[in-house]
Amino acid sequence: MAMEKPVTPTEEQLEILEYNFCKVNKHPDPTTLCLIAAETGLSEEQTLKWFKQRLAEWRKSEGLPSESGSVRD
């Protein structure tokens, strides 16, 4: 099985991803994730990976551990 090449989102894709992260949901459910992936043209796997990395960055910037549960826990 071939490894998926890392994809750097375009500026337009990043705008969509950032908007959804900041304004909609930092923890999108599978349906929302699928819709965001469709809107950006990225795969669901790429979109999920971006959200996980972005969440870790956000948690670090907030002084929270990057791997623990959500703030709502």
Side-chain angles (χ1 to χ4, degrees):
M1 190 162 122
M3 293 287 292
E4 189 174 303
K5 284 178 145 181
V7 174
T8 303
T10 65
E11 207 168 304
E12 185 178 329
Q13 289 169 324
L14 280 173
E15 285 180 20
I16 295 167
L17 291 165
E18 280 291 338
Y19 173 82
N20 282 282
F21 183 82
C22 294
K23 304 282 189 212
V24 180
N25 193 344
K26 289 176 178 47
H27 304 277
D29 60 62
T31 303
T32 304
L33 192 70
C34 181
L35 293 171
I36 295 168
E39 186 178 0
T40 60
L42 298 171
S43 71
E44 287 182 52
E45 292 79 19
Q46 292 165 328
T47 306
L48 180 60
K49 184 176 180 181
W50 184 90
F51 267 87
K52 284 182 176 184
Q53 291 174 337
R54 183 64 179 86
L55 183 61
E57 288 175 19
W58 176 80
R59 293 182 68 79
K60 186 176 179 182
S61 74
E62 295 292 312
L64 301 168
S66 62
E67 293 299 319
S68 69
S70 74
V71 178
R72 296 174 285 180
D73 291 346

